[in-house]
Amino acid sequence: MHISVIGTGYVGLVTGACFAEFGLTATCMDTDAKRIGRLEKGDVPFYEPGITELVSKGLKENRLSFTTDIARAVDQALVIFIAVGTPPRPNGSADLSYIEEVGRGIARHLTGYKVIATKSTVPVGTGERLRQVIRAHQTNAVRFDIVSNPEFLREGSAIEDFLRPNRVVIGADSEQAVAIMKDLYRPLYLIETPFVITDIPTSEMIKYASNAFLATKVSFINEIATLCERVGADVVTVAKGMGLDHRIGSKFLHSGPGFGGSCFPKDLAALIQTGHEVGYEMQIARAAATVNEEQRMRMVEKIRTAVEGELKGKTVGILGLAFKPNTNDIRDSPSLPIAERLLEEGASVRVYDPAAMEEATRVLPGMVPCQDAYDVAQDADALILMTEWNQFRNLDLEKLRSILRRPVFIDLRNVYDPAKMVAMGFRYVSVGRQSTGGS
Ligand code: NAD
C-alpha cells in the first residue's frame, strides 16, 4: 500500500519512516524545499535518536521518497496523513491555517477515493472543518473519508514510541476507512497493541485530554515540591511514595523547572480555549498552566538566592537548553525564559547543550556558547542543571568544583544526591528539597 505524509517535522518524518519500516511505500511532502533537499540525501534536519538510520534504510530500499509536490503526494497514496504544525494563536487557540492550506491542496488534486488522516493535534471539530474545506475546493467529485489518528510519540524516543505505542486511536465515520487504517497498522496488531476505534470528535479529544492530564500531573508535583521546601519534606521521596500506588503511577511525577516543549503548553492552552468557546471554564487545565508559568519564575528566585541576591555582574552556567534530553527542540523550553531573565537582570550566561546549541543561541544571542559542561563552569558563580541529558548525570564533580568561581550547584532536575554534593564541598540547591551546604 502507498501512503503520503504532508509535513516532515518530528511527527511527519517519523510517521513516514516508520510506515516504510512496516513495509509500506511512503511519500513525504513538505513545502520547505531546503528541508526536502536535505532529506532526499538522507540528511535529517533535526536531532532524534534512530531517525537518520531509518530514513537512510527507507531511501535505499525505495520505500521512502520526498517531494515538495502535493499533486504527487496525493496522486500516489491511498492514505494521506496530515502532520503539519498547529501552533498557538495569541489567544491560545490552535492555528489551523496550515491544516486548511493542506486541505485545499489535497482537494485540488483528488482523482480517486482517499483516506485523509490527521496526525497533527487538532481541536474537536477540525475533522469536520477539514471535510468542508476539501469539499469546497474539490475539482473532481470523488469520495474521500476523514480520519482522526492522533500521535502520542515523545521526542527523544519517537521511533520506539511509534513502533511500540501504548495504543492506536482511530476516529472515523466510515467502515471502509477504519478497515484501511487497521490494515496500515497491522504490524502493531501482531504485537497486541490496543486499538481504540471511535468517532472523530472523541478521537480528537483523547489527544488533548491525555496531554492536559500529563501536564496537570507535572504541575501537581511541582506545587507539592514548593510546599515540601517550606515544610521540610523531600519531594523526591514523596513522589516515590505516591508513584508506587498503582492508581497514581510514577511517571510524570518529577518536579523541576516546569513542563515545556512543542505540545504540553500549546495543547493545554488550546483545550482551555475550546472550553471558553463552548462556555465552560477548564479550571484544572488553567491551574496547571498557571502553576507552570509560576514555576519557571520560582526557579529564577532560587538562582538569585543561591548567588546571594544580586544577579547583576554574576556569571552563571546553564547545562541543557532543549526542553528535554535527546532532542534539539527548544520550543517552549523552560531553559530559555529562565536564561532570558538572568540576562535581563545583568548576569553573564554561559551555556551548553549536546544538541540544541545552534537553535538556542539563535533565539537568545546574548548567551555565551560553550564547548562542554566544564567550559560552561569557567569562572561561574553558579552552575545550573536545566536538562537532564545523560552526560550531565555523571559529571566529574571534583573537576567542576575546581573550575567554578564559587561551588554553587543548582540542580533543577534533582539528579544528584544532596548529601554527596555537600560532602564534595558544594552549596547544593534542588527542587522540593532543602538547600544544603555553604552559607
Ligand atoms: P514541526 O513544526 O516539526 O513540523 C511541521 C512541518 O510541516 C514543517 O516541516 C513545515 O515545513 C511543514 N508544513 C507546514 N505547512 C505545510 C504545508 N502547507 N504543506 C506541507 N508541509 C507543511 O511539527 P511537529 O512537531 O512534527 O508537529 C506536527 C503536529 O503533530 C502538531 O500538531 C503537533 O502538535 C503534533 N504532535 C507533535 C508531537 C511532537 O512531539 N513534536 C507529538 C505528537 C503530536
Side-chain angles (χ1 to χ4, degrees), residues 155-285:
E155 285 172 21
S157 54
I159 310 271
E160 175 68 14
D161 289 348
F162 195 97
L163 297 177
R164 265 170 280 277
N166 292 167
R167 78 306 208 180
V168 172
V169 176
I170 297 172
D173 51 12
S174 140
E175 278 179 22
Q176 184 182 4
V178 171
I180 292 170
M181 293 299 288
K182 278 183 165 174
D183 206 25
L184 282 188
Y185 281 110
R186 199 166 33 200
L188 298 186
Y189 261 134
L190 300 177
I191 55 168
E192 295 182 1
T193 307
F195 277 62
V196 179
I197 312 285
T198 182
D199 56 64
I200 297 170
T202 305
S203 169
E204 291 169 336
M205 184 57 93
I206 287 171
K207 175 65 190 176
Y208 279 99
S210 303
N211 274 4
F213 188 81
L214 292 172
T216 302
K217 217 172 160 189
V218 174
S219 277
F220 182 84
I221 200 66
N222 279 338
E223 202 166 45
I224 294 292
T226 302
L227 209 54
C228 282
E229 287 174 10
R230 295 185 186 195
V231 300
D234 177 340
V235 77
V236 174
T237 311
V238 170
K240 186 175 174 197
M242 288 170 66
L244 286 168
D245 184 328
H246 293 185
R247 293 169 303 176
I248 298 173
S250 59
K251 303 268 171 67
F252 285 78
L253 277 186
H254 303 287
S255 54
F259 57 78
S262 68
C263 293
F264 284 7
K266 99 170 156 64
D267 294 348
L268 206 54
L271 188 69
I272 292 166
Q273 192 58 26
T274 298
H276 190 68
E277 281 161 21
V278 296
Y280 184 76
E281 172 80 12
M282 297 295 288
Q283 298 168 71
I284 295 174

Side-chain angles (χ1 to χ4, degrees), residues 21-33:
E21 182 67 11
F22 286 170
L24 306 172
T25 308
T27 303
C28 296
M29 182 269 166
D30 205 292
T31 42
D32 182 342

Side-chain angles (χ1 to χ4, degrees), residues 6-12 29-32 35 83-86 98 101-102 119-122 151-155 207 262-263 266-267 329 331:
I6 314 294
T8 58
Y10 292 90
V11 169
M29 182 269 166
D30 205 292
T31 42
D32 182 342
R35 176 171 282 242
V84 297
T86 47
Y98 302 101
E101 187 188 329
V102 172
K119 271 245 163 264
S120 300
T121 303
V122 291
E151 183 49 59
F152 298 94
L153 63 77
R154 296 162 299 175
E155 285 172 21
K207 175 65 190 176
S262 68
C263 293
K266 99 170 156 64
D267 294 348
D329 200 343
R331 290 178 282 185

